[in-house]
Amino acid sequence: MKKIIGFAAATAVLFGAYAFASPLTSAANVRSGPSPKWPVIGQLPAGVDVTVLDCGGGWKRDWCQIQAGDMKGFVAAGVLGTQGNNVVVAPVTTNNDVAIYKGPGVNYKILGSIPENTTVNIGSCVYGWGETTWCKVNYGGKKGYALQSELQRQNSLFPM
C-alpha cells in the first residue's frame, strides 16, 4: 500500500495549483493529527499520489498518516483511493443524477444537474435541514450545493 513518489513531481503538483491561483479539485485536508479536531496544515487536490505511512486501529481507526512531497500529516481514510498501483487522493464522483441547488436545501432553486458517474469538484460541506449534509459543488460553470450522500470518492480504499 505504500507508494514512493519523486520529490520533484510532488512539488510540481502541489505548488503548481497554487502558482496559478486555481482552486484545488476536491481537496483533502491534511491535519497535524488523526482527528478533525487537529489543525489543517495543508490541502492536497484529487489525483495527487501519496505515500501511506500508517492506517491503524484504535485512536486513528478512520485516519491515515500520509506523505506527499514534503507535506506529512493525517487525512481521513475515506479520501484515499487507488489509481492503478498508486494510492491517491481520490476524485469525487456522483452516485446518480444529482441536482445542484442555489443553497443547502431542497427549498432552494435548482440551478442544474450533474450526470451520474461524473467527476465533480467539491468544497466545504454544511448541515442543512433535518441533519442533511450539503456540499458546495462546481460543475459546468454552475456553483451551488449537492447532497453529500449523492457524492463519493472514486475507488476509495475505505468507503465512508
Side-chain angles (χ1 to χ4, degrees):
M1 191 162 157
K2 292 186 178 183
K3 169 77 179 120
I4 299 173
I5 61 175
F7 178 74
T11 302
V13 171
L14 293 172
F15 294 112
Y18 293 101
F20 298 106
S22 61
L24 297 178
T25 304
S26 299
N29 287 330
V30 180
R31 296 180 179 275
S32 60
S35 158
K37 294 179 182 179
W38 289 85
V40 173
I41 58 173
Q43 290 187 318
L44 296 173
V48 168
D49 286 345
V50 299
T51 300
V52 177
L53 304 173
D54 185 31
C55 290
W59 58 275
K60 52 187 173 179
R61 175 177 58 93
D62 297 329
W63 293 84
C64 293
Q65 186 177 29
I66 58 97
Q67 183 161 357
D70 63 350
M71 186 180 300
K72 184 176 179 181
F74 293 83
V75 296
V79 305
L80 298 176
T82 58
Q83 190 172 46
N85 292 328
N86 300 337
V87 176
V88 299
V89 174
V92 175
T93 60
T94 55
N95 293 334
N96 300 295
D97 289 345
V98 176
I100 302 172
Y101 292 87
K102 186 172 184 171
V106 294
N107 293 331
Y108 288 91
K109 179 181 176 182
I110 295 177
L111 303 175
S113 66
I114 307 167
E116 182 177 1
N117 296 321
T118 300
T119 300
V120 62
N121 185 27
I122 65 166
S124 60
C125 298
V126 297
Y127 284 110
W129 287 100
E131 299 294 318
T132 304
T133 304
W134 294 83
C135 297
K136 290 181 183 178
V137 295
N138 181 347
Y139 175 76
K142 293 185 171 82
K143 295 180 182 179
Y145 290 83
L147 277 169
Q148 182 182 41
S149 61
E150 295 295 332
L151 307 170
Q152 66 182 3
R153 293 275 179 174
Q154 187 178 38
N155 299 322
S156 180
L157 292 172
F158 307 98
M160 306 218 52

